[in-house]
Amino acid sequence: MRTTSQGHIIQLDGIRFIAIALVLIEHLFVEVNTVPVGATGVTIFFVLSGFLISRILLKSKEKNFGTEGGFNKYLSKFLIRRTIRIFPVYYLTILLLYIFNVPPVREKLGWLALYGTNIYMAWNKTWMGSMDHLWSLAVEEQVYLFFPFLIFFVPKGKLVPVLGIMGLLSLGFRFYYYYAHPDFAIDDWIVTYVSTPACLDSFALGGLLAWLQVYRNDFFEKLFSKSWPVMLAFAVWVLLQFWSKTFENRFNVSFVVLDRTVSSIFGFFLIGRAVMGYTGIMAAFLENPVSIYLGKISYGLYLYHNFVYNHFHSGPMHPTVRIFRKIYQYAPDLKGSVAFEAMVVITLTIAVAAFSWHFFEKPINALKDKYA
């Protein structure tokens, strides 16, 4: 396992880069892409988040359980560190969107401020324009509300069965909802996609990954010492995509019910192997300075990308659309090039995320060690 002097697992930044790249590919190539790689990217983020927060919580529990005020120390440290990392840039973004009146931020401010966008979407079976992607951040925050209690109060010997039940219930929720709606369509799919209960198998596998590393490290090292399980899990994911294309209805059992679980299993092995450390070409890719840097700023890349440009909701006066119009005045042959537009949007998104990281997120993030 390759780590920095602070214990940061180096190759996980490369995994973050892979996840955000999949999301960007889906959103920027929506006209030509038919494979739900964006959903897989979000799922990898969920598994990674489940692993990292569970790992932190399990280690903190070992230090604090049974000590005077142990739970308060355990919980306050976790919440302070998460708040410092997540809230400032999120609420700054919401404030700026409110000031510039980007729809529908003023109309849905309460849902945005309380991290309830996924609840709004599931309840109303609708999207929220350029705010669509914030549903996954809402899921993360809702998981943070109960995961610390789950980790602390469930005995370590019973945590794996509890995580297993949580994962099965999540799969069962999607299965039940799918078969309870015979004419299943996109509005029904929104419920099974953005609801927190529908995402818990990803977090459960992330939690299992952390439990194995903390309490069964010998088994962890043996399980993730080779890359072939990653390739096998990826092959199963590919086969699932082919199976999904055999249905007339895009919203079929493969896509709606099984895709997140299979993607989570792929993420489980992908991340576990990265913790141990890939070798060869994969190591060169994950440890490349560009991959590491883009992984570090992946939160900003995800948060900002839909506001830099959204295929469906960026109107004629949007700054990025105006930039395209100016470019096309001098290079009309580029108009309509999906690849060129994607390159421009990615460049702008990286620029915005990099500025945010260096001048806002990173300085605030440094406060974590001071206050927690």
Side-chain angles (χ1 to χ4, degrees):
M1 181 169 67
R2 291 200 58 213
T3 62
T4 64
S5 57
Q6 293 80 29
H8 184 80
I9 303 171
I10 294 172
Q11 291 191 5
L12 291 187
D13 282 326
I15 298 297
R16 289 186 180 93
F17 169 54
I18 291 174
I20 188 60
L22 292 175
V23 173
L24 291 175
I25 288 170
E26 168 119 346
H27 289 178
L28 294 177
F29 293 95
V30 65
E31 292 181 329
V32 295
N33 178 56
T34 60
V35 181
V37 293
T40 301
V42 171
T43 297
I44 292 172
F45 271 127
F46 284 164
V47 177
L48 181 59
S49 180
F51 167 65
L52 292 174
I53 64 171
S54 297
R55 185 170 176 259
I56 291 168
L57 291 170
L58 287 169
K59 290 185 176 183
S60 181
K61 176 183 177 179
E62 291 298 309
K63 293 179 181 179
N64 294 293
F65 192 83
T67 65
E68 185 177 354
F71 177 70
N72 290 336
K73 293 177 185 177
Y74 158 92
L75 185 61
S76 61
K77 182 176 181 178
F78 174 76
L79 293 179
I80 290 170
R81 291 181 70 87
R82 287 290 83 197
T83 297
I84 289 173
R85 178 65 188 104
I86 301 298
F87 283 9
V89 66
Y90 177 83
Y91 284 114
L92 175 64
T93 302
I94 299 303
L95 175 62
L96 292 174
L97 294 171
Y98 183 89
I99 291 172
F100 290 103
N101 194 21
V102 176
V105 66
R106 293 188 178 181
E107 296 86 347
K108 304 296 186 292
L109 183 61
W111 295 100
L112 291 163
L114 295 174
Y115 280 93
T117 49
N118 68 321
I119 298 173
Y120 176 87
M121 292 178 187
W123 185 262
N124 294 283
K125 295 187 176 183
T126 187
W127 297 110
M128 290 181 67
S130 58
M131 312 292 161
D132 286 347
H133 64 304
L134 299 182
W135 73 268
S136 63
L137 303 183
V139 169
E140 295 254 5
E141 291 303 315
Q142 289 158 24
V143 169
Y144 294 163
L145 291 177
F146 72 88
F147 237 64
F149 297 90
L150 181 75
I151 298 293
F152 194 85
F153 290 111
V154 175
K156 67 179 182 181
K158 296 182 179 179
L159 185 59
V160 172
V162 170
L163 290 172
I165 291 170
M166 188 171 79
L168 289 173
L169 288 175
S170 183
L171 178 63
F173 170 77
R174 298 195 302 272
F175 183 87
Y176 169 79
Y177 200 91
Y178 176 76
Y179 282 102
H181 296 76
D183 299 319
F184 198 93
I186 187 169
D187 56 337
D188 301 304
W189 172 70
I190 292 173
V191 178
T192 62
Y193 185 59
V194 307
S195 301
T196 295
C199 303
L200 292 181
D201 44 351
S202 303
F203 290 95
L205 278 167
L208 174 61
L209 196 63
W211 188 92
L212 289 172
Q213 192 198 23
V214 173
Y215 296 122
R216 298 290 187 272
N217 194 53
D218 289 344
F219 179 75
F220 183 95
E221 291 181 356
K222 183 177 180 181
L223 181 62
F224 299 111
S225 62
K226 304 292 183 181
S227 295
W228 68 263
V230 184
M231 300 306 297
L232 178 60
F234 178 69
V236 173
W237 180 85
V238 170
L239 290 174
L240 189 74
Q241 306 313 311
F242 277 109
W243 183 40
S244 181
K245 300 304 179 185
T246 65
F247 293 86
E248 290 185 10
N249 185 1
R250 175 193 171 193
F251 301 100
N252 52 72
V253 65
S254 171
F255 179 58
V256 176
V257 179
L258 300 177
D259 187 77
R260 179 165 279 143
T261 298
V262 172
S263 297
S264 297
I265 293 170
F266 170 56
F268 175 85
F269 285 105
L270 181 74
I271 294 163
R273 182 71 179 109
V275 172
M276 287 299 300
Y278 286 92
T279 59
I281 295 175
M282 192 65 172
F285 175 79
L286 293 177
E287 296 180 21
N288 182 283
V290 174
S291 298
I292 291 174
Y293 180 74
L294 293 176
K296 284 184 183 296
I297 66 171
S298 60
Y299 178 45
L301 290 172
Y302 185 81
L303 180 60
Y304 301 128
H305 80 278
N306 241 22
F307 308 124
V308 172
Y309 180 75
N310 181 292
H311 181 78
F312 298 105
H313 303 290
S314 295
M317 299 309 294
H318 188 282
T320 303
V321 176
R322 295 168 70 179
I323 288 173
F324 281 134
R325 284 207 301 269
K326 182 64 69 174
I327 292 172
Y328 296 149
Q329 286 179 8
Y330 298 97
D333 291 343
L334 292 174
K335 189 173 184 179
S337 171
V338 175
F340 173 74
E341 291 189 359
M343 182 187 70
V344 171
V345 173
I346 289 171
T347 302
L348 292 173
T349 304
I350 291 173
V352 172
F355 180 87
S356 173
W357 170 253
H358 290 287
F359 295 100
F360 190 73
E361 295 172 67
K362 190 176 180 180
I364 292 177
N365 210 31
L367 299 175
K368 289 194 300 186
D369 293 330
K370 180 178 180 180
Y371 292 104

